[in-house]
Amino acid sequence: MLALAGISNAGLARRVNDLGAQRGMTLRYDKTSVARWVTKGMVPQGAAPHLIATAIAGKLGRPVPLHEIGLADTDPAPEVGLAFPRDVGEAVRSATELYRLDLAGRRAGSGGIWQSLAGSFAVSAYATPASRWLITPADGSVARGLDGVDPRHAPAADEGSGPRRVGHSDVAKLRDASEEARRWDSKYGGGDWRASMVPECLRVDATPLLLGAYTDEVGRSLFGATAELTRLAGWMAFDTGQQEAAQRYYIQALRLARAAADVPLGGYVLASMSLQATYRGFADEGVDLAQAAIERNRGLATARTMSFFHLVEARAHARAQDEASCGTALAAAESWLERAREGDPDPAWLDFYAYDRLAADAAECYRDLRVPRQVRRFTEQALARPTEAFVRSHGLRLIVAAVAELESGNLDAACAQGTRAVEVAGRISSARTTEYVKDLLARLEPYGDEPMVAELRERARPLLVAPA
């Protein structure tokens, strides 16, 4: 890999030291260190393997998973990332242990560790995290490593990093990374390689900060920023079909949100869990998770945030074929959204949510309930304001519109919308969007002899055979 990237032993050592310095670490590797890694199979400790992968990736212009350079953990425990510890220090250990897994391998063709965990998603794994968060949604002091603070609250920092005091500027960099990744994810899908840098950011940037020294105030902010990034990593894994990875990220994100004492953010993580459970066929559990977010946030979250939580609840009710409860939840979502005002202190992570998103999800609710008239009504509203910032959402809305037209008996319109949706889907990397396309084509099977259906199927062929 070094030869392919055109990096000498000395060049790699220099780059790794520089990357470490950018992250507050003092590393003193040289060409002899690299020679030991290459010829004797020695594995450096701490964050060094991830820095090595980053250095090589920078030269190759693509992500480099640890297994590709022989530095991956070979037998991580299958329970990694599923714990929801009561102690803050153990919570840090649980999260950073997850971050160190070779997650990037899932996009390199081999599947990485997630290949061995495939099919291990279990909705029951959300029971303990949800109940512990409901009982105690905020931890006590999270200060660590400063005078007068018990250092046992977290494990020691990575070897070679030395003691490091974390400040607000460090946290700001994590938030900036989260904002950029959210934009890429919305525009290009969770499988886009720039969005896939989030796991690396958690491993290389967030981990040393979590293991550093900080006041309670800085610590709360640090845990909140890391929780946002972790939830986003889960969302991108969910979008690319890696359900087992998404579940572990979500659990750790919820635990970090509790350490941050950020109840709305915890609710947002629960809403993400709810959508995953619903999507995987566990609608009743999806209702429970969404309602947990709602109940704990009464009087705390903004009107727009409460609206979104009720909308997620509606999605679960619709999958459960409970039309009355779905209608009630949708009405609550609309009512809360009407109360939202310019200048409300809405969290940055909710900037995607407006009436067009409510309409889009309402359309999906009525698709699941098989009420095509309502699907068409809400889809028209959802598509009234297409935006380049949310390409994936626009594609999903087009597919839902196609299904509505088909169920209303309008084959021509269904194929027209389907053609537009396939064009959009071809511009992003999203397994979820591909699944929507497959569902539409399956619904069109009875009309397979129609030329327009055959043409749509042919247009979709490259999308269905390419990796999502």
Side-chain angles (χ1 to χ4, degrees):
M1 289 297 291
L2 289 178
L4 185 63
I7 308 177
S8 66
N9 287 5
L12 178 63
R14 183 170 57 252
R15 181 60 179 150
V16 169
N17 292 341
D18 290 345
L19 288 171
Q22 293 171 18
R23 293 160 173 81
M25 304 177 191
T26 302
L27 303 175
R28 297 184 177 86
Y29 294 119
D30 56 24
K31 62 181 182 181
T32 304
S33 306
V34 179
R36 287 197 294 266
W37 305 336
V38 174
T39 62
K40 297 184 178 180
M42 296 182 66
V43 179
Q45 299 302 303
H50 305 292
L51 296 176
I52 295 167
T54 301
I56 297 174
K59 293 287 288 184
L60 293 177
R62 65 169 176 82
V64 174
L66 293 185
H67 70 82
E68 193 172 2
I69 54 176
L71 298 179
D73 292 331
T74 57
D75 188 27
E79 68 273 9
V80 169
L82 295 177
F84 193 92
R86 290 187 173 90
D87 177 72
V88 176
E90 286 301 314
V92 169
R93 186 185 300 277
S94 179
T96 55
E97 186 178 27
L98 176 65
Y99 302 157
R100 288 187 174 110
L101 286 186
D102 180 20
L103 307 186
R106 71 183 188 275
R107 293 186 180 89
S110 71
I113 179 57
W114 302 113
Q115 187 175 50
S116 65
L117 294 177
S120 64
F121 171 85
V123 74
S124 59
Y126 284 149
T128 295
S131 63
R132 287 188 180 176
W133 182 84
L134 279 168
I135 294 167
T136 311
D139 285 314
S141 175
V142 296
R144 177 189 182 272
L146 301 174
D147 291 342
V149 177
D150 186 349
R152 293 172 299 173
H153 274 251
D158 281 340
E159 180 181 339
S161 66
R164 176 179 182 182
R165 182 156 183 157
V166 181
H168 286 295
S169 62
D170 298 304
V171 178
K173 291 177 183 177
L174 291 184
R175 294 198 184 279
D176 288 345
S178 181
E179 288 296 311
E180 182 179 4
R182 284 198 304 116
R183 287 193 296 270
W184 279 111
D185 171 64
S186 295
K187 195 168 184 178
Y188 298 110
D192 180 77
W193 76 266
R194 284 150 293 205
S196 74
M197 300 304 281
V198 172
E200 179 181 354
C201 182
L202 289 169
R203 289 193 301 272
V204 180
D205 297 320
T207 294
L209 298 180
L210 291 172
L211 299 174
Y214 35 81
T215 64
D216 181 65
E217 179 191 5
V218 171
R220 299 284 188 197
S221 184
L222 171 61
F223 282 119
T226 309
E228 287 185 41
L229 268 172
T230 307
R231 191 218 67 88
L232 181 58
W235 177 256
M236 292 188 301
F238 168 66
D239 189 53
T240 55
Q242 299 293 332
Q243 304 300 332
E244 53 288 328
Q247 181 168 47
R248 287 160 169 77
Y249 276 129
Y250 285 157
I251 291 172
Q252 297 313 304
L254 185 65
R255 183 60 189 88
L256 293 170
R258 187 172 97 164
D262 191 334
V263 180
L265 177 56
Y268 187 40
V269 178
L270 284 171
S272 300
M273 291 176 169
S274 172
L275 287 170
Q276 184 190 32
T278 299
Y279 184 80
R280 296 289 292 171
F282 300 97
D284 287 342
E285 288 83 355
V287 171
D288 292 340
L289 290 163
Q291 290 181 344
I294 292 167
E295 290 305 317
R296 257 302 177 183
N297 274 280
R298 293 191 189 280
L300 294 174
T302 64
R304 192 180 306 277
T305 305
M306 292 297 290
S307 172
F308 180 71
F309 293 163
H310 279 287
L311 184 61
V312 172
E313 179 194 8
R315 291 290 302 272
H317 283 307
R319 281 293 179 99
Q321 297 298 299
D322 187 344
E323 185 171 356
S325 295
C326 177
T328 299
L330 283 176
E334 190 165 12
S335 175
W336 277 107
L337 192 56
E338 288 173 352
R339 299 183 217 176
R341 295 292 180 266
E342 192 73 30
D344 285 352
D346 292 318
W349 41 258
L350 199 65
D351 62 2
F352 66 89
Y353 186 58
Y355 188 80
D356 62 325
R357 172 59 189 267
L358 186 150
D361 279 47
E364 293 209 41
C365 288
Y366 285 112
R367 177 205 60 188
D368 293 340
L369 293 168
R370 305 188 72 82
V371 186
R373 179 179 58 82
Q374 290 283 58
V375 178
R376 293 180 70 185
R377 171 190 157 213
F378 280 109
T379 300
E380 288 173 1
Q381 297 172 13
L383 291 172
R385 196 177 55 135
T387 172
E388 279 297 306
F390 301 101
V391 176
R392 178 180 53 211
S393 293
H394 186 59
L396 294 175
R397 294 171 192 184
L398 287 170
I399 298 170
V400 174
V403 171
E405 295 291 357
L406 180 63
E407 294 191 347
S408 298
N410 303 320
L411 183 61
D412 288 359
C415 289
Q417 294 284 46
T419 298
R420 292 172 61 197
V422 167
E423 188 277 326
V424 172
R427 294 157 49 195
I428 61 177
S429 181
S430 167
R432 193 158 47 102
T433 303
T434 301
E435 287 301 316
Y436 274 53
V437 172
K438 288 180 179 177
D439 176 68
L440 172 62
L441 294 177
R443 293 170 186 263
L444 287 168
E445 278 297 322
Y447 312 94
D449 293 336
E450 295 288 339
M452 66 187 76
V453 175
E455 182 181 353
L456 175 58
R457 189 187 304 114
E458 188 61 30
R459 286 176 179 269
R461 188 183 305 278
L463 177 67
L464 302 181
V465 299

